[in-house]
Amino acid sequence: MLTLHTKLNHAERVDASLVLPYELREKCRLRAALDSGEEVAIFTVRGTVLRDGDLLTGEDGRVVRVVAAPEATYRVTAPDALALLRCAFHLGNRHTQAQVADGFLRIRADAVLKDMLRGLGATVIEEQAPFEPESGAYGGGHHHHDHGQGPLAPIPLRQKIHRPGDPKEAAS
């Protein structure tokens, strides 16, 4: 099974795609399937969120592009910027993850929130769309860039994966 554990800033080629909804892109340990059907294991540091377009690699050097899967969301618009800001405030007050875009908010589909937003004067449209919520004030921001190219997380020893930087084992 291919193991992905290192994030790349860029790559000359991409060998496969990994299409995942947001819920799975925020897990630190994950078993998934590439677009080809090949199974992969992903190991990231707790709190890492894989974003649409991120590039991952493993020991065999193949490069995999993360693709945000379309999922059930609401697109929230309002008659003016103040009304949209009011909607964002009330969503934040309920600790709701939200994608902030130019002129609209996007949230996961939730009937209770839909009713609240309509009560605030917003227009709420159901749509299947990739969900890329803000990472939060302490999460490095939505457009955080990792400048290192080391493993995203320690690789479990039971995987017995050799990493190029590992010390050579003494012959017994």
Side-chain angles (χ1 to χ4, degrees):
M1 175 185 307
L2 175 62
T3 300
L4 302 171
H5 55 73
T6 302
K7 187 174 175 183
L8 301 173
N9 292 323
H10 65 279
E12 296 298 319
R13 69 180 199 306
V14 174
D15 301 299
S17 294
L18 178 63
V19 181
L20 298 171
Y22 183 76
E23 179 181 346
L24 296 180
R25 289 184 286 125
E26 61 183 348
K27 293 190 178 291
C28 61
R29 301 287 182 269
L30 176 64
R31 186 178 201 164
L34 299 176
D35 56 351
S36 66
E38 179 182 1
E39 284 196 337
V40 296
I42 301 169
F43 296 100
T44 62
V45 174
R46 184 182 223 75
T48 298
V49 175
L50 298 174
R51 297 292 182 172
D52 185 60
D54 280 353
L55 301 171
L56 301 174
T57 191
E59 297 307 316
D60 74 354
R62 285 188 283 168
V63 177
V64 174
R65 181 184 313 278
V66 175
V67 177
E71 52 190 293
T73 64
Y74 293 147
R75 181 185 177 103
V76 181
T77 57
D80 56 54
L82 182 59
L84 190 60
L85 182 59
R86 186 172 286 117
C87 291
F89 171 82
H90 286 284
L91 289 169
N93 197 39
R94 285 156 183 79
H95 302 279
T96 301
Q97 291 177 314
Q99 179 176 343
V100 179
D102 190 14
F104 71 93
L105 304 171
R106 179 172 288 129
I107 63 171
R108 287 185 178 126
D110 179 301
V112 172
L113 293 176
K114 181 179 183 179
D115 289 343
M116 177 197 72
L117 292 164
R118 285 185 170 163
L120 292 168
T123 300
V124 182
I125 299 169
E126 297 179 27
E127 63 182 6
Q128 289 288 316
F131 184 53
E132 288 284 355
E134 290 294 309
S135 61
Y138 302 106
H142 178 79
H143 297 289
H144 175 71
H145 296 284
D146 181 10
H147 295 288
Q149 286 198 6
L152 292 169
I155 300 164
L157 292 177
R158 70 180 180 276
Q159 297 291 323
K160 296 185 180 176
I161 297 170
H162 169 74
R163 294 180 297 246
D166 288 348
K168 301 269 189 225
E169 290 185 28
S172 16

